[in-house]
């Protein structure tokens, strides 16, 4: 027998021959699979023995036995995929969606929630909600800056007083002590957009005391105001001064005004890393983004104070003209009305799946007036087609880019949502590895497994090694693919044959299992 042994449970070692003899079978044995171990190395053949929730042996032997033996011949065996930017938190906390089946179908075993500065600041309470019905995947929490700011300052466009800043810092501290993995911000969105860099640095310093990360939807992914390059520089500055890893969330060059800027962004991040600053990025593998229509069209000053104040400004004829002037530029930046698709609009579901240009024609209005009409009733979720393929590819090829979905978890058939909810991880393999040859398979798997595990301090996950938690994804290279499209997104991905989470099957032979095997994870790096 050759192999690496983690535990002497069920085993004894003959020291003279340096050979391990097992008295009892493994709980689970995975045989004959092509191992993609998460390091970025090419695949190799090996078997994996699992006891309880851990991998206890990786090697080759005809002598080992198990209570359950899984023949993975012709399949790739990988560490479970980690989605570092997920909006699935509220769905996982609900009874009807706690299984997380659209995530499991992608091979996702862990998600990071509360991104973009949004979500709950009650980390302990959110944990209880997630655990109430059980969860199908592991969950890591971030402390959201935007929610903190709204709690302490409201939606006012001003800087915090010294006392308010201390209160904000105490919320971060409490969240980190309750197990959060870091601080998230959404400086593009209100009220996060009203924060100066120094405010975020002070809060990030608190997260750094607990070895947390800083993950940011940057202030400007385009050329709205400060610009893409300055916004990336801001993440670098925060990471440097707060002394923690900084993550550029869903990295992109959004809009024609910054197409081609990926090279400059990459140079900035590479230079920072050369100087010893920990900077990373995450990316979803699509050339279209998704957010809400208000955020992309209505200028930030017009959103100050919240929705009620914004609606009053839209009813003020003088202010309305100023707002519309900026909206015209913002719409052009996004590629025009044809480039915006309504994803979720419960006020009138007939509009879902339509482009803004089509809705404007139906209303017999120009696109700006049509957008205002929609926003006055309800803030629509949208899909925005705004990226250049060359930029997407270039960002994906960087060793510091993790894979994410930026996707939510909704009821099947609800809205015409972004297909990333259902397809991100299989799409990266099928489209960008197999079809387009943008990256190699082992590189893609590393971006989904060991890289995010190391960034977030999951030192016992992300690799197929003895001693690691048995989060494992097994997929068929011939059939793995995303089926979700922009027009028909509610389709589960295919080709993920087996998923183990914490040593138990969540998917077996392509079938979802009844037991919910996920956990809410604690940041234990403090």
């Amino acid at each position: 027998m050759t192999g690496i042994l983690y535990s002497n449970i069920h085993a004894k070692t003959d020291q003279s021959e340096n050979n391990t003899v097992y008295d009892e079978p493994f709980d689970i044995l995975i045989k004959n699979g092509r191992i993609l171990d998460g390091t970025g190395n090419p695949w190799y053949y090996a078997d994996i023995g699992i006891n309880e929730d851990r991998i206890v042996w990786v090697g080759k032997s005809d002598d080992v036995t198990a209570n359950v033996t899984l023949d993975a011949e012709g399949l790739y065996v990988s560490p479970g995929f980690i989605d570092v930017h997920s909006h699935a938190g509220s769905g996982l906390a609900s009874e009807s969606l706690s299984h997380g089946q659209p995530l499991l179908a992608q091979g996702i075993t862990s998600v990071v929630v509360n991104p973009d500065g949004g979500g709950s600041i009650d980390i302990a309470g959110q944990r209880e909600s997630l655990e109430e019905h059980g969860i199908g995947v592991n969950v890591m929490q971030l402390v959201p800056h935007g929610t903190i700011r709204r709690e302490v300052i409201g939606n006012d466009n001003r800087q915090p007083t010294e006392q308010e800043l201390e209160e904000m810092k105490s919320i971060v501290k409490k969240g980190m002590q309750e197990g959060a993995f870091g601080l998230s911000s959404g400086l593009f969105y209100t009220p996060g957009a009203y924060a100066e860099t120094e405010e975020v640095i002070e809060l990030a310093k608190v997260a750094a005391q607990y070895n947390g990360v800083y993950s940011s939807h940057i202030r400007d992914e385009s050329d709205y105001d400060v610009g893409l390059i300055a916004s990336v520089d801001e993440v670098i500055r925060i990471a440097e001064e707060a002394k923690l890893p900084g993550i550029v969330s869903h990295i992109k060059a959004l809009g024609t005004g910054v197409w081609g800027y990926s090279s400059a962004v990459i140079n900035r991040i590479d230079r920072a890393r050369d100087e010893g600053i920990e900077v990373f990025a995450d990316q979803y593998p699509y050339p279209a983004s998704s957010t809400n229509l208000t955020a992309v069209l209505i200028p930030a000053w017009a959103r100050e104070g919240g929705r009620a104040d914004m609606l009053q400004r839209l009813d003020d004829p003088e202010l309305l003209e100023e707002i519309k002037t900026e909206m015209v530029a913002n719409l052009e930046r996004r590629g025009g009305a044809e480039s915006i698709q309504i994803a979720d609009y419960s006020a009138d579901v007939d509009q879902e799946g339509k482009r803004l240009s089509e809705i404007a024609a139906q209303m017999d209005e120009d696109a700006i007036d049509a957008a205002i009409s929609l926003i006055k009733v309800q803030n629509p979720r949208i899909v925005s087609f705004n990226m250049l393929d060359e930029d997407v590819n270039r960002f994906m090829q960087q060793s510091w880019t993790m894979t994410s979905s930026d996707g939510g978890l909704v009821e099947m058939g609800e809205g015409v949502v972004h297909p990333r909810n259902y397809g991100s991880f299989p799409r990266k393999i099928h489209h960008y590895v197999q079809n387009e040859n943008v990256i190699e398979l082992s590189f893609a798997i590393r971006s989904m497994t060991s890289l995010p595990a190391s960034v977030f301090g999951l030192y016992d996950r992300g690799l197929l090694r003895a001693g690691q938690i048995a989060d494992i994804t097994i997929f068929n290279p011939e059939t793995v693919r995303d089926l979700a499209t922009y027009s028909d997104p509610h389709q589960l991905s295919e080709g993920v044959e087996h998923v183990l989470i914490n040593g138990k099957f969540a998917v077996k032979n392509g079938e979802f299992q009844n037991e919910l095997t996920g956990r809410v994870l604690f940041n234990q790096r403090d």
Side-chain angles (χ1 to χ4, degrees), residues 55-76:
I55 298 170
V56 297
W57 175 78
V58 179
K60 296 180 181 180
S61 176
D62 293 329
D63 299 328
V64 295
T65 60
N67 297 326
V68 176
T69 298
L70 180 65
D71 187 353
E73 184 175 0
L75 306 178
Y76 284 117

Side-chain angles (χ1 to χ4, degrees), residues 356-370:
L356 180 59
S357 54
E358 180 183 356
I359 294 171
Q362 289 177 349
M363 292 182 174
D364 197 22
E365 296 180 342
D366 67 26
I368 297 300
D369 288 331

Side-chain angles (χ1 to χ4, degrees), residues 380-399:
R381 294 289 304 177
I382 65 166
V383 173
S384 175
F385 300 87
N386 52 46
M387 289 176 241
L388 187 68
D389 285 336
E390 287 81 357
D391 287 324
V392 174
N393 296 351
R394 200 173 290 126
F395 283 132
M396 191 176 292
Q397 291 166 341
Q398 304 312 305
S399 62

Side-chain angles (χ1 to χ4, degrees), residues 62-136:
D62 293 329
D63 299 328
V64 295
T65 60
N67 297 326
V68 176
T69 298
L70 180 65
D71 187 353
E73 184 175 0
L75 306 178
Y76 284 117
V77 183
S78 162
F81 300 157
I82 302 170
D83 184 352
V84 297
H85 189 106
S86 171
H87 293 274
S90 58
L92 289 169
S94 70
E95 186 173 7
S96 62
L97 294 171
S98 58
H99 49 70
Q101 290 180 359
L103 311 179
L104 294 173
Q106 297 182 61
I108 295 170
T109 58
S110 299
V111 298
V112 179
V113 302
N114 301 336
D116 298 332
S120 177
I121 57 175
D122 181 4
I123 299 301
Q126 185 182 43
R127 178 187 303 275
E128 291 178 5
S129 297
L130 287 162
E131 292 174 339
E132 181 179 357
H133 306 293
I135 45 176

